[in-house]
Amino acid sequence: ETGVTQSPTHLIKTRGQQVTLRCSSQSGHNTVSWYQQALGQGPQFIFQYYREEENGRGNFPPRFSGLQFPNYSSELNVNALELDDSALYLCASSLGQGATSGELFFGEGSRLTVL
Amino acid sequence: SQQGEEDPQALSIQEGENATMNCSYKTSINNLQWYRQNSGRGLVHLILIRSNEREKHSGRLRVTLDTSKKSSSLLITASRAADTASYFCATDAGGSRLTFGEGTQLTVNP
């Protein structure tokens, strides 16, 4: 186990609704990254937070937003849900910030289904 | 967009055989990492190889990196049924993100 916990593990929403996913990072890690993984594909980078500030963003629209709290836990919020948002959302924690990424420690993911 | 492309997409072998998976990428990188994922669960880091390294070993894993060809390979020796999983390469090209490939689904038959 990595020590990264995500909640909820599964959830079902309808189009247009909003969702909040939560992540507790591994003890001592100050950086959290979020990835979206559609079925049968590799994870796609959504964004990263370092010391409560966004530190890089992938090709996702503004309705994907996030927060990092002083204890380094994090939330991913998605507004106006679309069918294509159905995916496994993965949170990963790591230590430090810099030009080079080290090992990421992933949680088990939150499986979102949008109907 | 995916930077890495794994090859093959799927691989089925018998226990005890070796499994080789390949990854190609497009841009210059700082490092390349391999991750494993069991059936829709979280990813587990296996090994990281830096751009100035050519080969790295960890237990039954051997990773090679050829930056001139922009390619890497992951070799799992003496495979076990428990090695059945999806394997992803991920490249660090600077900044905050890792860029993952589409993955290779490995099935090891008992």
Side-chain angles (χ1 to χ4, degrees):
Chain A
E1 289 192 8
T2 63
V4 178
T5 58
Q6 292 187 243
S7 62
T9 55
H10 295 82
L11 68 166
I12 300 174
K13 293 285 188 177
T14 56
R15 270 188 311 174
Q17 285 190 313
Q18 178 265 343
V19 68
T20 297
L21 307 177
R22 296 178 175 83
C23 172
S24 293
S25 56
Q26 181 162 314
S27 177
H29 285 183
N30 54 16
T31 302
V32 173
S33 304
W34 286 91
Y35 288 79
Q36 179 197 65
Q37 186 179 24
L39 200 60
Q41 297 186 17
Q44 298 259 14
F45 176 75
I46 303 175
F47 43 55
Q48 183 186 83
Y49 279 83
Y50 171 69
R51 291 187 175 178
E52 303 177 57
E53 300 221 348
E54 188 178 287
N55 179 47
R57 187 179 182 91
N59 188 26
F60 282 81
R63 58 190 185 84
F64 285 78
S65 63
L67 281 173
Q68 187 181 30
F69 301 100
N71 66 355
Y72 303 134
S73 66
S74 177
E75 284 183 357
L76 165 65
N77 299 289
V78 187
N79 294 323
L81 284 167
E82 301 177 359
L83 297 179
D84 284 349
D85 295 333
S86 294
L88 181 68
Y89 288 85
L90 295 160
C91 167
S93 75
S94 56
L95 182 61
Q97 174 205 31
T100 301
S101 295
E103 174 182 355
L104 296 184
F105 295 80
F106 282 86
E108 293 294 330
S110 293
R111 172 75 61 188
L112 171 65
T113 302
V114 182
L115 301 176
Chain B
S1 63
Q2 304 289 123
Q3 149 134 274
E5 293 184 5
E6 279 98 338
D7 164 53
Q9 288 187 321
L11 179 62
S12 182
I13 59 174
Q14 297 299 122
E15 251 186 342
E17 294 181 338
N18 295 341
T20 299
M21 289 159 267
N22 303 298
C23 169
S24 60
Y25 57 92
K26 298 174 185 173
T27 66
S28 297
I29 60 172
N30 294 319
N31 66 64
L32 184 145
Q33 303 178 33
W34 286 89
Y35 286 81
R36 165 197 168 123
Q37 184 178 39
N38 287 353
S39 190
R41 300 187 64 183
L43 281 78
V44 175
H45 181 266
L46 296 176
I47 197 164
L48 180 155
I49 186 165
R50 303 192 189 284
S51 60
N52 61 353
E53 298 175 310
R54 291 297 166 260
E55 187 171 313
K56 204 162 183 180
H57 297 253
S58 176
R60 293 184 297 114
L61 305 180
R62 172 179 168 252
V63 169
T64 62
L65 179 64
D66 187 335
T67 53
S68 66
K69 295 181 179 177
K70 291 187 171 57
S71 68
S72 174
S73 68
L74 171 68
L75 168 68
I76 303 174
T77 59
S79 63
R80 307 165 181 167
D83 294 330
T84 295
S86 292
Y87 292 82
F88 294 90
C89 69
T91 53
D92 165 29
S96 53
R97 73 189 68 189
L98 288 183
T99 302
F100 286 82
E102 298 285 341
T104 293
Q105 172 61 51
L106 173 65
T107 302
V108 181
N109 301 298

